[in-house]
Amino acid sequence: MEKACNSHRQPFLLLHLLPLFLSPLPALANPAASPSQIISRFQQYLQINTTQPSPDYQTSTQFILSQASSLSLESRVIEFVKNKPVVLLKWPGSDPSLPSVLLNSHTDVVSFEHSKWIHPPLGGYVDRRGDIFGRGSQDMKCVGMQYLEAIRRLKASGFRPKRSLYLSFVPDEEICGNDGAKKLAYSDVFKDMNVEIVLDEGPHSTLS
Ligand SMILES: *[C@@H]1O[C@H](CO)[C@@H](O)[C@H](O)[C@H]1NC(C)=O
């Protein structure tokens, strides 16, 4: 989030559950889990121009759906407002009576001035130190991809969640989210999801 928005906060309960995803897991033979594959998927996402004010949501939606399909997640695209797709993924839990967990991220990014970048802002360039350059690399395409990669790893380890896990990839957060997260939060779709806990954007890290 870049600008201060004059809208009410979404009725999301924000909790940090990162330890849930950071528990050690056995090393994997699965090549899809190799660091270079993980970085390459992140680069692809960074290369999609979802810059406001005309984000390419069509391409980002296709990308997220292809990730969902590679993970055998259920998926649907909801346009509460035309051309403002909310991509909703689901990993069904073994006990559907339990409230669910929602991992939210936004797909759009704020605009940029080329002259202020040492590498192209839509390039997904990785330098010799391993730093990855791209508009939205922190805010917040990295988070959306970390959710997906955590699921990839958990699935490969044989883990099955008790609670259903949802992922929402929402549009227009950088212009206040009225046509994205807000519509989702007040929808019947959201009610039916029976969400108890949401993880969302947190503070930035510093590049040092
Ligand atoms: C990315 O999209 C923005 C509109 O939101 C546009 O101004 C810009 O030219 C696009 N950049 C590229 C490289 O396509």
Side-chain angles (χ1 to χ4, degrees), residues 113-179:
E113 292 168 72
H114 272 281
S115 60
K116 296 192 172 159
W117 286 70
I118 55 172
H119 299 295
L122 295 171
Y125 180 80
V126 184
D127 73 7
R128 287 199 345 236
R129 290 183 0 157
D131 289 338
I132 304 170
F133 293 76
R135 175 52 99 210
S137 55
Q138 292 202 54
D139 182 10
M140 63 178 290
K141 287 180 168 175
C142 67
V143 180
M145 289 312 288
Q146 284 171 66
Y147 296 152
L148 290 165
E149 298 301 345
I151 290 172
R152 195 178 302 280
R153 196 167 168 179
L154 287 167
K155 283 212 160 197
S157 76
F159 179 84
R160 170 110 200 257
K162 251 193 199 168
R163 293 164 189 264
S164 289
L165 190 66
Y166 288 95
L167 284 81
S168 49
F169 289 83
V170 297
D172 281 8
E173 191 269 355
E174 300 295 3
I175 53 168
C176 294
N178 289 323
D179 291 343

Side-chain angles (χ1 to χ4, degrees), residues 49-56 111-112 114 122:
N49 189 2
T50 49
T51 309
Q52 289 290 357
S54 306
D56 181 0
S111 60
F112 48 78
H114 272 281
L122 295 171

Side-chain angles (χ1 to χ4, degrees), residues 97-113:
S97 70
L98 292 174
S100 67
V101 175
L102 172 63
L103 307 178
N104 182 66
S105 68
H106 61 84
T107 50
D108 60 326
V109 305
V110 288
S111 60
F112 48 78
E113 292 168 72

